[in-house]
Amino acid sequence: MFVRVGGIPHHVAVAGEGPVVVLSAGLGLGWFDWDPVVPLLTPYRTVVRFDRPGHGLSAPAGAPPTAAGEARRITGILDALGLGDRPATVVGHSVAGFHAEAYARLHPGRTTGIVLVDSSVEERAVAPAVPALRTAAARAVGGALGALGVPAAFGPPVRRLAVRVSRTGGGDPAPAELIRAVYGTTRVLRGALLENAHYTAVAAELLALRERRPLPPGAPVTVLAATAGGRRWTARQRDLALTLDARFRAIGPSGHLMMLDRPDAVARAVLESGPPPPGGGAGSGRGQEDRA
């Protein structure tokens, strides 16, 4: 289905029943990249997946991304679905980890938990000067590559390669027709370029939010780190967990696309961030570490 938020049609998928969970994927990814996780959650949770502008099937972005803007996007989607009165666990993968944390800080009353899935980490980001130039450059590059037919020719195989190298095993499980429909378009290329161009600005905005907007008290935070990232990456993820007073888990074997390599670990963390499933005793809490 599609819902309009900020004047832009957003593609949204909703399934299951129970407390609300929002799944947001990383740069250039789509709603279907959560497919292995969803059936593990839907018996116990109402699962909301959405494509950010220029991603998946959503319309192109009208403006560059910001941390606050992405937090508002999540609230807008939940409101449009009639779920605004139900606090949610927000799950952010990669760059969407910035968005999930910003949502929790800006909308604490609407947050029951946060799960960061191999989230982007920037300890000392500084907002770049003249962001309008970055926007113009991203749009110019996207337009030029689109005019040359690059997305149609190379988008799908680049997607397949990116998924393969971001996993510890296996290829891209998404159907070929879906990959062509999404990654063969200039719209998705432009969306990824625009988000990438403003990555540092969003990171810097989040660091500023940490100084003045605390995380909601009592809402569990979990940081999941893919072991394939190496020791230095795992250490940075552990430091992020300490910064957020969060539970930390090193997940292996797993590459960056943990939702494909270890959907069980992602689902477990989500279920522990809210009421336990019937017959289950999933715990939650901060300042803990374990491995899976």
Side-chain angles (χ1 to χ4, degrees), residues 123-147:
E123 299 86 352
R124 291 175 291 276
V126 177
V130 197
L133 290 180
R134 291 175 174 258
T135 300
R139 287 176 170 163
V141 170
L145 293 176

Side-chain angles (χ1 to χ4, degrees), residues 46-148:
T46 299
V47 180
V48 177
R49 293 177 284 169
F50 70 97
D51 294 324
R52 295 188 299 281
H55 288 62
L57 299 178
S58 289
T66 66
E70 294 307 318
R72 286 194 301 273
R73 190 182 316 285
I74 296 172
T75 63
I77 286 170
L78 292 176
D79 289 345
L81 293 172
L83 300 174
D85 60 341
R86 297 167 61 182
T89 294
V90 184
V91 184
H93 166 255
S94 194
V95 71
F98 291 162
H99 311 157
E101 184 183 341
Y103 175 87
R105 292 184 183 278
L106 292 170
H107 304 282
R110 300 180 63 157
T111 306
T112 55
I114 308 103
V115 179
L116 304 180
V117 181
D118 216 40
S119 175
S120 296
V121 180
E122 294 298 333
E123 299 86 352
R124 291 175 291 276
V126 177
V130 197
L133 290 180
R134 291 175 174 258
T135 300
R139 287 176 170 163
V141 170
L145 293 176
L148 292 172

Side-chain angles (χ1 to χ4, degrees), residues 3 7 24 27 40 52 55 57 65 70 84 86 102 158 168 179 188 203 217 220 227 232 236-237 277 279 285:
V3 299
S24 185
L27 178 70
L40 303 179
R52 295 188 299 281
H55 288 62
L57 299 178
E70 294 307 318
R86 297 167 61 182
V158 167
T168 53
I179 293 300
V188 172
T227 56
R232 184 171 181 272
R236 292 178 70 193
Q237 292 285 319

Side-chain angles (χ1 to χ4, degrees), residues 57-284:
L57 299 178
S58 289
T66 66
E70 294 307 318
R72 286 194 301 273
R73 190 182 316 285
I74 296 172
T75 63
I77 286 170
L78 292 176
D79 289 345
L81 293 172
L83 300 174
D85 60 341
R86 297 167 61 182
T89 294
V90 184
V91 184
H93 166 255
S94 194
V95 71
F98 291 162
H99 311 157
E101 184 183 341
Y103 175 87
R105 292 184 183 278
L106 292 170
H107 304 282
R110 300 180 63 157
T111 306
T112 55
I114 308 103
V115 179
L116 304 180
V117 181
D118 216 40
S119 175
S120 296
V121 180
E122 294 298 333
E123 299 86 352
R124 291 175 291 276
V126 177
V130 197
L133 290 180
R134 291 175 174 258
T135 300
R139 287 176 170 163
V141 170
L145 293 176
L148 292 172
V150 170
F154 298 104
V158 167
R159 149 78 193 200
R160 296 292 195 193
L161 177 62
V163 169
R164 183 173 294 276
V165 302
S166 298
R167 299 189 62 186
T168 53
D172 189 347
E177 290 184 6
L178 179 59
I179 293 300
R180 284 195 298 270
V182 172
Y183 292 92
T185 67
T186 302
R187 172 182 52 80
V188 172
L189 172 64
R190 286 178 167 176
L193 289 172
L194 187 62
E195 277 204 349
N196 187 64
H198 292 275
Y199 170 88
T200 302
V202 172
E205 184 185 353
L206 180 60
L207 292 181
L209 274 177
R210 287 179 184 169
E211 295 295 323
R212 64 180 191 272
R213 299 296 293 265
L215 288 169
V221 183
T222 305
V223 172
L224 304 179
T227 56
R231 291 183 178 179
R232 184 171 181 272
W233 177 249
T234 301
R236 292 178 70 193
Q237 292 285 319
R238 185 179 291 108
D239 288 344
L240 174 64
L242 289 172
T243 297
L244 303 179
D245 191 20
R247 182 198 299 270
F248 173 79
R249 285 188 180 146
I251 305 299
S254 179
H256 185 52
L257 294 179
M258 193 182 298
M259 62 276 263
L260 300 183
D261 283 339
R262 290 294 306 275
D264 60 315
V266 175
R268 175 188 172 196
V270 172
L271 293 176
E272 289 177 342
S273 295
S284 63

